[in-house]
Amino acid sequence: MATDIIKVENLEKHFGELQVLKDVSLNVKPKEVVVIFGRSGSGKSTLLRCLNFLEYPTGGCIEVDGTRLEYGHPTRARRDAIRQIRMKAGMVFQEFNLFPHLTVMENLIEAPVTVRGESKKEATERGKELLDKVGLSEKADQYPIRLSGGQKQRVAIARALNMRPKIMLFDEPTSALDPELIGEVLAVMKKLAEEGMTMMVVSHEMGFAREVADRMCFFDDGVILEEGPPDQMIRDAQHERTKRFLEAVL
Amino acid sequence: MAEARATLGGLGKPKEARAPGLSYQWRKTISYAAIAVVLIGVFIFFQFDTDFMMLWFPYIGRGVVYTLILSFGGMALAIPLALLGALGRLSRSAVLNSISAFYVSFFRGTPLLVQVFFIYYAFPQLAFRPGVPGFLEPVLVLDIIFAGILALGLNYGAYMTEIFRSGIQSIGHGQVEAAHALAMSPRQTTRRIVLPQALRVIIPPTGNDFIAMLKDSSLVGVAGSVTELFNRAQTTGRAEVHPFETLAIAALVYWALTGVFTFFQNKLERRVARGHFREQVHGH
Ligand SMILES: Nc1ncnc2c1ncn2[C@@H]1O[C@H](COP(=O)(O)OP(=O)(O)OP(=O)(O)O)[C@@H](O)[C@H]1O
Ligand SMILES: [Mg+2]
């Protein structure tokens, strides 16, 4: 069996006095789709954001596709490793965060050109394919403000993919969307999973989890309280807290 | 805008107090005409020497060239200083932060005229104190044009640091995070993502400051013999014993100049607001 592409070992994160992550360990295999769920404030976003160092862990270790990084102050070597990890991990935010001063295609090629040093032509070629994949070929020259929420999020996914990441992190990608727009984003994510992308998804879309996820993790108060295959998890969770939470969202 | 004012005027109008037929626009035109008549009356009463004004207008008017050199030069210096100042204020480095805070505090806290005199009159003295190495002389002894540009640039750079800072701060943290998540470095993020968006916020007040600097450049003409508008008006006015006429010329030219640049400023402002930023127009 392939070695784990994501390894999280004894991860801790404090915000001052507040400890948000308490000794979290988690391994993800290539092509695996992990859905993380749990109540608000339990630390789900913080976990994802620690994975690409938008937050600096205050303890533990992270490894993404062979690039390993212990917690600690940012030294030159560490910054280099962070850059490596960020290139390997695409991230999709709840609020899309498209660049409003750039067109859709410019959004897609910005990082490949400035970070990877690709030619505009090369990045645009791939960008076209990706827009095609998310069903937005005709929007290449539009500015983000002209797009619906669902379209924005699909562009955001394509933008992350244009960096050719090894894994994708989704932080509640459909929570800011009107209900009728959620489906189009989930469909793109499902397609991505079928193509073999390794994904960590914070989401409360249980239908999506059941259909697409290989594993679900219930996050509670800074720890992974319980994990397992979606069917088992949804049908008979072990912990009382997990059961209660699932009853509330289902 | 015109309609808005018209409505306000209509609201404020006491019932039946005014002739019903006259529109707001007409009343405005008549008011302007009245102001013009009064001014002409004053000119005639005080025996304004229009022939003298005609004669000297070309010479004094050409002072605009130096006014523009000082202002464009000052702005060319102020903009990079403001950018550095703002980045310093926003940086996590205590050293950069202190330098920038000191800069802003000092140059905003002292009069521009004092700064001009400092640079033009006081610095040269330092160059000739015992033990001061000779290579400092060209730095400390400056031509009035360079001294003026330096003072204007430093002074306005300090004010504009705050403009740039708030412009940069107006860009949401989500933008920075998205760029970081795409592995862009802090520098790339600032240059490619934050600054282009901040410009929308920065350009309008910067235009205002440029117009203010056009007028403040007259202070340089007070300190030294740079023959910009005010300096020419002042010296010829004294020599020819017609200060009222020469200063009136200068005032008219300044007024026209700010009028022209305000026009362009308004156009630019409208363009920036449109551009790519429909977000701002439609509200978000
Ligand atoms: N930058 C920060 N500074 C201080 N506290 C923070 C910061 N970011 C998050 N927290 C705190 O950490 C805790 C976990 O936040 P996190 O965003 O990870 O929760 P979450 O599980 O994603 O919740 P939600 O479902 O609401 O998104 C919260 O109590 C939050 O207030
Ligand atoms: Mg969250």
Side-chain angles (χ1 to χ4, degrees):
Chain A
M1 195 60 211
T3 55
D4 298 328
I5 192 167
I6 303 174
K7 293 183 195 165
V8 177
E9 294 165 18
N10 311 107
L11 193 68
E12 289 180 21
K13 175 66 186 176
H14 294 79
F15 289 110
E17 294 284 282
L18 181 70
Q19 184 169 14
V20 176
L21 298 180
K22 300 168 183 166
D23 194 24
V24 175
S25 295
L26 175 73
N27 290 347
V28 180
K29 291 189 167 47
K31 305 192 178 190
E32 203 177 0
V33 176
V34 177
V35 166
I36 296 166
F37 67 112
R39 69 193 76 244
S40 179
S42 57
K44 308 178 297 293
S45 298
T46 306
L47 172 63
L48 280 204
R49 293 159 56 79
C50 279
L51 276 172
N52 67 354
F53 290 84
L54 289 182
E55 303 288 357
Y56 281 62
T58 47
C61 182
I62 281 164
E63 187 177 319
V64 176
D65 189 38
T67 307
R68 192 179 169 83
L69 199 53
E70 305 259 342
Y71 82 97
H73 286 291
T75 59
R76 197 187 169 77
R78 206 170 254 129
R79 267 199 288 270
D80 227 46
I82 289 175
R83 212 175 78 100
Q84 294 299 323
I85 287 179
R86 284 176 176 171
M87 288 207 279
K88 290 172 180 180
M91 187 168 217
V92 174
F93 300 88
Q94 183 176 338
E95 299 293 342
F96 330 126
N97 295 340
L98 293 181
F99 304 131
H101 61 303
L102 302 178
T103 64
V104 164
M105 184 54 80
E106 286 166 348
N107 265 276
L108 261 62
I109 67 172
E110 177 62 39
V113 171
T114 55
V115 177
R116 301 195 90 109
E118 289 180 21
S119 72
K120 276 192 180 166
K121 190 164 163 290
E122 193 186 351
T124 306
E125 300 268 295
R126 240 188 10 255
K128 279 183 188 153
E129 286 166 25
L130 287 168
L131 281 185
D132 195 39
K133 184 192 281 190
V134 301
L136 292 170
S137 293
E138 76 285 11
K139 300 289 185 189
D141 298 321
Q142 296 277 344
Y143 285 94
I145 190 64
R146 288 292 184 83
L147 306 177
S148 73
Q151 292 172 334
K152 281 185 195 168
Q153 196 59 300
R154 285 185 281 153
V155 171
I157 293 172
R159 176 176 72 176
L161 290 174
N162 209 19
M163 281 295 276
R164 288 180 285 172
K166 295 281 178 57
I167 66 170
M168 285 286 284
L169 309 171
F170 294 84
D171 190 2
E172 304 206 38
T174 58
S175 296
L177 298 176
D178 294 334
E180 72 272 18
L181 301 177
I182 290 175
E184 63 190 59
V185 172
L186 292 180
V188 167
M189 290 169 62
K190 187 176 171 214
K191 189 151 72 171
L192 201 55
E194 283 163 359
E195 287 172 7
M197 176 60 75
T198 309
M199 295 166 44
M200 280 182 71
V201 185
V202 174
S203 176
H204 294 139
E205 293 292 333
M206 290 302 152
F208 172 83
R210 204 190 311 231
E211 205 179 338
V212 180
D214 299 301
R215 184 161 35 131
M216 289 178 76
C217 296
F218 180 65
F219 219 80
D220 190 57
D221 196 21
V223 296
I224 297 174
L225 190 63
E226 158 162 29
E227 59 180 305
D231 278 336
Q232 177 205 318
M233 194 76 153
I234 292 170
R235 215 171 302 120
D236 61 340
Q238 300 302 302
H239 286 265
E240 195 54 36
R241 293 176 71 90
T242 319
K243 276 186 202 150
R244 249 185 292 144
F245 184 82
L246 282 168
E247 270 164 29
V249 294
L250 280 171
Chain B
M1 206 57 185
E3 299 97 81
R5 281 213 203 102
T7 337
L8 279 177
L11 280 176
K13 184 168 61 180
K15 280 167 216 157
E16 299 169 69
R18 278 201 195 89
L22 241 39
S23 75
Y24 176 79
Q25 203 52 46
W26 262 106
R27 278 181 274 133
K28 222 173 137 176
T29 310
I30 292 169
S31 306
Y32 280 138
I35 293 171
V37 168
V38 170
L39 281 178
I40 291 169
V42 169
F43 290 171
I44 293 172
F45 180 79
F46 286 109
Q47 296 127 57
F48 234 59
D49 192 340
T50 43
D51 290 341
F52 179 89
M53 280 181 78
M54 290 301 198
L55 185 65
W56 285 97
F57 190 90
Y59 171 73
I60 295 174
R62 276 197 303 274
V64 158
V65 173
Y66 288 96
T67 298
L68 288 176
I69 289 175
L70 287 168
S71 304
F72 278 110
M75 218 54 194
L77 181 59
I79 287 171
L81 281 175
L83 181 58
L84 290 176
L87 294 177
R89 286 297 267 159
L90 294 171
S91 101
R92 253 173 279 149
S93 149
V95 178
L96 294 180
N97 215 298
S98 319
I99 293 175
S100 156
F102 165 78
Y103 164 62
V104 171
S105 166
F106 182 80
F107 281 94
R108 283 174 47 143
T110 53
L112 175 57
L113 189 59
V114 171
Q115 293 161 17
V116 177
F117 271 74
F118 242 110
I119 294 171
Y120 186 54
Y121 282 114
F123 281 12
Q125 286 187 10
L126 302 181
F128 303 110
R129 298 222 162 132
V132 177
F135 67 83
L136 281 177
E137 194 185 315
V139 183
L140 292 171
V141 185
L142 290 175
D143 182 81
I144 181 64
I145 298 252
F146 286 114
I149 288 175
L150 189 59
L152 286 169
L154 284 167
N155 183 274
Y156 273 74
Y159 280 96
M160 284 160 53
T161 290
E162 293 302 305
I163 295 176
F164 277 51
R165 185 172 70 139
S166 61
I168 291 170
Q169 275 180 327
S170 73
I171 306 309
H173 200 59
Q175 291 289 305
V176 175
E177 292 198 332
H180 285 175
L182 287 162
M184 294 175 78
S185 68
R187 181 182 296 223
Q188 288 167 337
T189 303
T190 301
R191 226 190 54 230
R192 310 267 322 164
I193 305 301
V194 176
L195 285 182
Q197 295 186 59
L199 274 187
R200 175 192 57 188
V201 186
I202 290 170
I203 284 178
T206 299
N208 286 337
D209 270 6
F210 176 74
I211 289 162
M213 194 191 274
L214 282 172
K215 293 175 279 175
D216 273 352
S217 66
S218 59
L219 293 175
V220 182
V222 173
S225 58
V226 54
T227 53
E228 50 73 58
L229 265 174
F230 175 70
N231 185 280
R232 287 185 188 211
Q234 175 74 342
T235 47
T236 51
R238 202 181 296 147
E240 304 289 325
V241 209
H242 271 71
F244 205 103
E245 280 78 1
T246 59
L247 286 172
I249 292 172
L252 283 174
V253 178
Y254 277 120
W255 192 18
L257 209 53
T258 54
V260 168
F261 281 103
T262 305
F263 173 78
F264 286 121
Q265 145 91 351
N266 287 340
K267 278 189 94 117
L268 186 67
E269 204 165 315
R270 234 168 292 144
R271 232 187 93 163
V272 174
R274 226 190 306 127
H276 309 152
F277 303 101
R278 291 171 200 93
E279 207 161 25
Q280 204 63 359
V281 180
H282 296 300
H284 194 60

